[in-house]
């Protein structure tokens, strides 16, 4: 029944103006205002992601949006140059290098996590396909 549906994701923010600036100016995404008081992020392939205001917003403790990239080092370097700070992890199951990249080493993709102004966790992950 839903196989033909154009599903989309959404998550909340506590400040639409800051979100609009971050997603358009830092991440370089096309951002549209929606008459319902939400932002629409538009990515390649015409994928839409909705960001809606929520006064009591609490960021999720998991990744809400992933951006596949061809070369993670290039993507991370470009985002660091724009002032982005990547998360650092050093646990038994998850370690990142000085840039904030977890190198999959055959056990998953190379991935780096960062947060938007509302504290939502996003990632860039290397997709060689």
């Amino acid at each position: 029944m839903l196989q033909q549906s154009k599903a989309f994701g959404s998550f909340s923010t506590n400040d639409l103006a800051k979100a609009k600036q971050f997603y358009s100016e830092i991440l370089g995404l096309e951002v549209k205002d929606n008459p319902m008081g939400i932002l629409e992020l538009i990515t390649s392939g015409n994928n839409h992601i909705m960001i809606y205001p929520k006064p009591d917003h609490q960021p999720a403790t998991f990744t809400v949006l992933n951006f596949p990239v061809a070369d993670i080092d290039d993507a991370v370097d470009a985002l660091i140059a724009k002032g982005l700070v990547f998360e650092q992890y050093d646990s038994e199951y998850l370690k990142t290098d000085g840039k904030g990249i977890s190198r999959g080493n055959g056990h998953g993709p190379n991935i780096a996590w960062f947060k938007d102004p509302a504290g939502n966790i996003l990632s860039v992950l290397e997709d060689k396909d």
Side-chain angles (χ1 to χ4, degrees):
M1 177 171 96
L2 298 178
Q3 296 87 344
Q4 301 303 315
S5 176
K6 291 189 177 186
F8 64 91
S10 65
F11 53 91
S12 69
T13 185
N14 55 359
D15 189 324
L16 279 179
K18 283 183 182 177
K20 184 175 185 176
Q21 178 185 17
F22 176 79
Y23 285 96
S24 63
E25 295 177 18
I26 303 296
L27 300 188
L29 298 175
E30 180 181 351
V31 178
K32 291 186 178 180
D33 293 308
N34 183 294
M36 294 179 0
I38 59 180
L39 297 177
E40 288 183 57
L41 307 180
I42 302 169
T43 64
S44 177
N46 206 28
N47 295 322
H48 292 244
I49 297 108
M50 304 295 210
I51 301 177
Y52 56 92
K54 188 175 180 202
D56 61 344
H57 165 76
Q58 295 293 316
T61 57
F62 52 86
T63 309
V64 298
L65 188 57
N66 298 285
F67 293 96
V69 295
D71 186 313
I72 196 163
D73 285 285
D74 286 349
V76 167
D77 290 343
L79 291 169
I80 288 172
K82 291 185 171 198
L84 211 66
V85 175
F86 283 84
E87 299 295 298
Q88 295 290 325
Y89 299 104
D90 186 15
S91 71
E92 180 181 354
Y93 300 105
L94 180 60
K95 294 188 184 311
T96 53
D97 64 17
K99 288 184 181 182
I101 300 172
S102 172
R103 308 281 176 180
N105 298 322
H107 301 288
N110 293 335
I111 186 167
W113 294 270
F114 59 97
K115 293 181 180 177
D116 75 0
N120 295 308
I121 301 171
L122 315 173
S123 83
V124 288
L125 63 102
E126 197 164 59
D127 183 6
K128 296 285 189 180
D129 295 333

